[in-house]
């Protein structure tokens, strides 16, 4: 859910697919094959230090915009194995651009962020600090580049695998989630927290920076602007709280962190990543890294359920993208760009 100028303010509950659905009843709605990129690992990626392998597949689907049929996909992704020449370090990232120059922003960040991580000699010793440095310096370089990022930018959800540890760095409202086997169930555990004004900590932070936080209905006078409570993102995602300057109707961002968005930066939007560290164990089956084109309607658990129900990750990615596409079309007669990476963890043991 991005800038008011690029993603509309629809009115619907955010998660509409129940966990009990049969996901094998055929692909709902045809994907636009000529606008879809599918990339899979040519071979298993070894993590020799802990004697297991990774296998990935990525699907990127351009959004359907009937009023802008030639609009380019503003999502981008990056997969880099053997980071810094280390066979035990691998990187996966999804970048969801927004605004007039969102595609340029996401591609710029996709290239520069991994370049900075690869060139940081402290990366494998202190990944958290390296992540912070890379995100902030990439943001500074985007500001000073030829790309106009005053009202454009990108989210970034990235996972760095180092041995048996995941380092998940997030800016914005794209998401990473991991599948955890518990008994006979496979449960979804979020590896990132969407950074939006729905979060009390993020709301208070941007307010202190001078942001007005209002939904579109409040801006239009349909709802009392003094009511500073919007429920939760799952039930009130249709008209979310957004960030505005004090005396203007811009920028209208529904996120509180991003890379770029220099205008929104003046009211608290920043590029400081939240980093989660997770040690893998044999109950961790796979993890998903995806743009909010997927999670706008599908809960984390639903995505994990769908991914678990297919033996072939390509079938899983296709089904998830198609279900997302169908729900977007049902509620808006358009779709967002959709990018999803599924990374399977194979052969990890406690030994």
């Amino acid at each position: 859910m991005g800038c008011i100028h690029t993603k509309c303010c629809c009115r619907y509950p955010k998660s509409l697919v129940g966990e009990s659905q049969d996901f094998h009843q055929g692909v709902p709605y045809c994907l636009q094959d000529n606008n879809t990129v599918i990339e899979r690992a040519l071979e298993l990626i070894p993590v020799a230090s802990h004697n297991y392998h990774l296998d990935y597949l990525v699907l990127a689907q351009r959004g359907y915009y009937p009023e802008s049929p030639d609009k380019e996909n503003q999502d981008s992704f990056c997969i880099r194995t053997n980071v810094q020449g280390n066979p035990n370090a691998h990187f996966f990232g999804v970048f969801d651009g927004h605004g007039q120059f969102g595609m340029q922003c996401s591609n710029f960040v996709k290239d520069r962020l991994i370049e900075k991580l690869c060139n940081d000699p402290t990366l494998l010793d202190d990944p958290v600090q390296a992540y912070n440095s890379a995100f902030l310096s990439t943001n500074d370089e985007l500001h000073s580049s030829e790309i106009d990022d005053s009202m454009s930018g990108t989210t970034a959800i990235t996972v760095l695998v180092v041995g048996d540890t995941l380092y998940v760095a997030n800016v914005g409202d794209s998401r990473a989630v991991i599948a955890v086997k518990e008994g006979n169930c496979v449960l979804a555990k979020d590896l990132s927290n969407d950074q939006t004004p729905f979060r009390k900590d993020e709301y208070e932070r941007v307010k202190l920076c001078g942001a007005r936080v209002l939904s579109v209905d409040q801006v239009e006078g349909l709802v009392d602007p003094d009511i500073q409570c919007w429920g939760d993102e799952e039930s009130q995602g249709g008209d979310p709280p957004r960030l505005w300057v004090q005396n203007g109707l811009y920028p209208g961002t529904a996120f509180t962190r991003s890379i770029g968005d220099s205008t929104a930066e003046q009211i608290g939007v920043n590029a400081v990543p939240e980093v989660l560290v997770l040690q893998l164990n044999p109950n961790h089956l796979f993890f998903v890294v995806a743009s909010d084109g997927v999670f706008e309607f599908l809960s984390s658990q639903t995505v994990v359920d769908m991914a678990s129900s297919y033996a072939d990750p390509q079938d899983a990615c296709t089904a998830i993208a198609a279900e997302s596409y169908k729900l977007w079309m049902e509620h808006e007669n358009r779709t967002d760009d959709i990018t999803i990476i599924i990374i399977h963890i194979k052969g990890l043991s406690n030994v």
Side-chain angles (χ1 to χ4, degrees), residues 44-315:
L44 294 179
I45 303 167
V47 185
S49 62
H50 291 79
N51 196 32
Y52 75 97
H53 295 79
L54 300 173
D55 188 19
Y56 74 83
L57 187 132
V58 56
L59 183 150
Q61 166 71 46
R62 185 177 73 85
Y64 170 63
Y65 300 93
E67 296 181 358
S68 303
D70 297 324
K71 183 177 180 181
E72 297 174 294
N73 189 344
Q74 294 186 307
D75 285 0
S76 62
F77 64 88
C78 176
I79 297 171
R80 181 72 61 88
T81 60
N82 301 327
V83 174
Q84 294 190 348
N86 189 317
N88 304 307
H90 312 289
F91 177 88
F92 305 88
V94 170
F95 309 88
D96 182 356
H98 51 262
Q100 182 178 357
F101 304 106
M103 183 197 70
Q104 292 90 329
C105 289
S106 70
N107 280 311
F108 180 96
V109 173
K110 172 199 69 175
D111 294 335
R112 293 300 174 88
L113 186 66
I114 186 60
E115 177 186 343
K116 291 183 177 299
L117 291 171
C118 286
N119 291 329
D120 189 335
T122 71
L123 174 65
L124 301 180
D125 295 324
D126 191 352
V128 175
Q129 178 54 42
Y131 254 142
N132 274 278
S133 175
F135 270 73
L136 293 176
S137 59
T138 297
N139 188 53
D140 289 341
E141 287 190 12
L142 179 56
H143 288 340
S144 59
S145 74
E146 295 180 354
I147 301 170
D148 179 2
D149 72 344
S150 58
M151 297 287 284
S152 299
T154 183
T155 70
I157 178 67
T158 67
V159 178
L160 176 68
V161 182
V162 181
D164 66 344
T165 305
L166 302 185
Y167 297 88
V168 185
N170 179 49
V171 164
D173 57 2
S174 295
R175 191 180 302 175
V177 58
I178 194 164
V180 185
K181 183 174 177 57
E182 292 193 8
N184 294 324
C185 299
V186 178
L187 302 180
K189 177 181 178 182
D190 286 335
L191 297 175
S192 61
N193 292 313
D194 298 355
Q195 294 153 349
T196 74
F198 281 110
R199 280 177 46 180
K200 186 173 185 294
D201 58 340
E202 288 292 281
Y203 165 82
E204 292 176 347
R205 183 180 64 78
V206 296
K207 288 282 285 185
L208 287 173
C209 293
R212 290 191 302 150
V213 182
L214 300 168
S215 69
V216 170
D217 277 353
Q218 289 176 309
V219 168
E220 294 177 348
L222 302 176
V223 175
D224 185 351
D226 292 330
I227 298 174
Q228 294 284 282
C229 179
W230 299 272
D232 60 72
E233 194 165 359
E234 294 298 312
S235 61
Q236 297 297 323
D239 187 22
R242 295 176 178 270
L243 276 58
W244 315 87
V245 298
Q246 285 296 323
N247 297 307
L249 296 178
Y250 64 91
T253 63
F255 48 78
T256 54
R257 302 193 193 198
S258 73
I259 300 177
D261 293 290
S262 57
T263 298
E265 199 170 87
Q266 301 169 23
I267 52 173
V269 173
N270 67 40
V272 178
E274 292 182 312
V275 183
L276 178 144
V277 181
L278 176 72
Q279 185 170 9
L280 295 173
N281 64 56
N283 292 323
H284 292 128
L285 305 179
F286 60 86
F287 57 94
V288 178
V289 185
S291 63
D292 80 331
V294 171
F295 293 109
E296 184 70 20
F297 294 100
L298 301 179
S299 69
S300 296
Q301 186 62 55
T302 299
V303 169
V304 164
D305 287 345
M306 295 184 75
S308 299
S309 66
Y310 291 90
D312 187 334
Q314 181 168 334
D315 292 339

